Amino acid sequence: MIALAEESGHRVVGGLMLDRVAASARLTGRRPEGGLDPTYPLGGHLTHRLLHGAPRKIVLARHDVTVSSGNHRSPGHRPDADRICAVHHFKWRSGVLDDLRRRVQHFTTGTWQEHTPAVRDEAGRLLAHVGRHGGVINTSDPRFAFRRVSLDRMPLSWPSEARSIFTTWRPYAHSGQD
């Protein structure tokens, strides 16, 4: 990826978050045997299709390039949309619901300073989703496109899928219905 970016003159390399979950769709802890792939074998698009979170990441940048908070963008630089890396997002594990509830509580009460409602809203969307689905992520929902992936093996459709999402995604417009 570095050589391709240098050859094409791109000063950054882009990535797209791929949310990884357990085959059972339960928010489970990591199993010591076998590593992350067997524990979280499904990959899909939960972050941006349910939570309306930013799925794009800058995964590589030259030393003199500024990258924004969260590595979601680099002002003045565009990654090559035909070479998007998968950013395996292993967030959906045991304990995450307690973390999200605490986040919502702290932002709602003013304990933590909120610069935008996006983080609290994303947490609320996931909590509502698992509440409607018996404590699990609905991996059968076609919007999320969950399927078996691994750190070493992605579907053949990944480059076109990643390009499509990377080039069309726009920040979520909040409405009074959120």
Side-chain angles (χ1 to χ4, degrees):
M1 291 304 284
I2 293 170
L4 292 170
E6 287 178 345
E7 287 172 20
S8 65
H10 285 88
R11 299 174 58 81
V12 297
V13 173
L16 185 75
M17 282 203 296
L18 184 69
D19 296 292
R20 298 288 298 270
V21 300
S24 68
R26 297 198 182 294
L27 301 169
T28 62
R30 184 177 162 279
R31 294 186 316 229
E33 69 281 351
L36 292 170
D37 277 337
T39 304
Y40 307 104
L42 301 180
H45 303 292
L46 188 71
T47 293
H48 73 284
R49 292 193 176 149
L50 174 68
L51 308 184
H52 306 302
R56 297 184 289 202
K57 291 285 192 177
I58 299 297
V59 296
L60 291 170
R62 291 188 50 93
H63 69 90
D64 57 345
V65 171
T66 300
V67 179
S68 69
S69 174
N71 293 0
H72 288 286
R73 64 193 147 280
S74 179
H77 300 280
R78 289 185 185 252
D80 182 347
D82 291 319
R83 291 187 174 88
I84 301 299
C85 299
V87 177
H88 295 261
H89 191 221
F90 294 99
K91 180 177 184 172
W92 313 115
R93 42 130 186 97
S94 63
V96 74
L97 295 181
D98 290 335
D99 294 344
L100 295 176
R101 286 183 195 103
R102 190 172 29 261
R103 180 180 288 178
V104 168
Q105 178 189 17
H106 287 314
F107 282 134
T108 301
T109 62
T111 304
W112 292 351
Q113 185 178 8
E114 187 173 66
H115 299 286
T116 171
V119 174
R120 181 170 31 121
D121 292 347
E122 289 172 25
R125 283 187 195 93
L126 185 76
L127 291 168
H129 175 83
V130 297
R132 286 190 307 273
H133 296 282
V136 301
I137 293 171
N138 181 7
T139 56
S140 64
D141 187 323
R143 293 177 299 157
F144 309 144
F146 276 106
R147 72 286 202 174
R148 289 198 171 272
V149 298
S150 75
L151 293 169
D152 296 329
R153 192 176 56 254
M154 293 294 293
L156 293 175
S157 62
W158 175 256
S160 62
E161 177 181 333
R163 183 185 207 297
S164 174
I165 294 168
F166 199 89
T167 59
T168 61
W169 182 84
R170 297 293 177 265
Y172 182 68
H174 296 274
S175 70
Q177 314 244 350
D178 292 339

